[in-house]
Amino acid sequence: MKILRTPDKFFRNIKGYPFDPVYTDIFTEDGSKIRIHHIDEGPSDGPILLAMHGQPVWSYLYSKMIPILNDAGIRVIAPDLVGYGKSDKPASRNDYSYQNQVDWMNQWLVKNDLNNLIFFGQDWGGLIGLRMIVDNPDRFIKISMGNTGLPYMPNTPQSVIDEVKEFRKSKLKLTPLSMSKEVSKMDSGKTHPALKFMYWQKFCWDTVDLPIGFLMSNMMAKNSMLKTLISYFFLNIGLRKLFPLNKAIDQAYEAPFPNPSYKMGPRAMPSHVPTIPDESLDGVRQARELFKNWQKPFLSVFAGDDPVTNGAEADVLKMCPIATSAPNIGGGHFFQWSKPKELSGLLSEFIKNT
């Protein structure tokens, strides 16, 4: 397996991320070594929150929350998934799968011998983390999650499956604008979610130099329409760096990727979200079976204004009958960044009072 490693120099000027790196070596099935990065911040004797990010971000997403949680006496451990942040990046599309990510993070968890964990996951952090919990239930004492889930759709009509597969193979060229327009309709309830999420899947895979900095700036910063349009123009003519939409956010989310060859993880992983039945179906089914009988505290905390996951909370509450639902706090898909005080407050209360 060919594995890429982002040189440290690309992270030197990241604002608001003063945390010391911790590295763990794990091994793939073919014996290749992968280095996984995590940060470990806060009182050593405090309750431990394992905070897991999704695609296409990294542990920088939690940088606003960590000081708030530390001040509340909570220790925060936040890893970078393989292919993201300061962790190593396998170079081939075939290296990435849902199961591989679960297996790699299970190794990381066991090798660091982490126990008595409170889990929080969002996006892919939830999909992977919830299955880590199933494989290591005794290491976790509480679960919280938001803007994520464990999609299980074994009865998806064959017509939907065929349409998704044909669309992914089509020659349609998507732009950030055309993709966003379709994904924003996901919670309309008028069509199967796979038929909307496929626009994100296709856009990510077809875009060799996925504009992660621009996408995250657009979602996380309060930008004027004029600035957005100007930045979008420079993006389209291949001169994104001349007019970044938000310099600090753009820099932070492009830093892990010195060139497009490093972006295989963010490009490949959306296609492994099980919106239609695939090879992960049985693993997801087994995970959901465990959560049907889960007896430890479980908190569902969703933004409520994220079209990608607005329909997911009802499924989470169905999956885990003892789960409690926190009030929706807004903030969109990446509410760790847009609502750090509100989300940290809910998690602190859950950690200390449940």
Side-chain angles (χ1 to χ4, degrees), residues 251-306:
Q251 184 179 35
Y253 286 110
E254 289 289 345
F257 312 110
N259 64 59
S261 68
Y262 287 71
K263 294 183 176 181
M264 195 59 70
R267 289 179 59 204
M269 286 307 293
S271 295
H272 292 283
V273 176
T275 52
I276 59 175
D278 62 13
E279 66 276 3
S280 70
L281 191 66
D282 191 55
V284 173
R285 179 190 59 77
Q286 292 179 38
R288 292 177 68 95
E289 285 294 326
L290 178 92
F291 289 119
K292 270 187 182 178
N293 301 301
W294 190 256
Q295 295 300 316
K296 299 174 185 178
F298 192 120
L299 179 68
S300 170
V301 49
F302 278 68
D305 61 353
D306 170 29

Side-chain angles (χ1 to χ4, degrees), residues 101-132:
Q101 289 284 11
V102 173
D103 292 343
W104 294 336
M105 294 310 297
N106 274 338
Q107 278 195 61
W108 170 84
L109 180 72
V110 172
K111 197 158 187 181
N112 283 285
D113 195 24
L114 298 174
N115 292 285
N116 297 315
L117 298 172
I118 301 101
F119 174 76
F120 177 76
Q122 179 259 345
D123 194 270
W124 264 107
L127 273 78
I128 295 167
L130 291 174
R131 290 186 56 193
M132 290 168 60

Side-chain angles (χ1 to χ4, degrees), residues 213-232:
F214 174 84
L215 294 170
M216 294 304 100
S217 296
N218 191 46
M219 296 180 72
M220 294 180 176
K222 296 179 180 179
N223 306 298
S224 69
M225 181 59 71
L226 178 61
K227 186 175 183 181
T228 300
L229 291 173
I230 294 173
S231 182
Y232 187 60

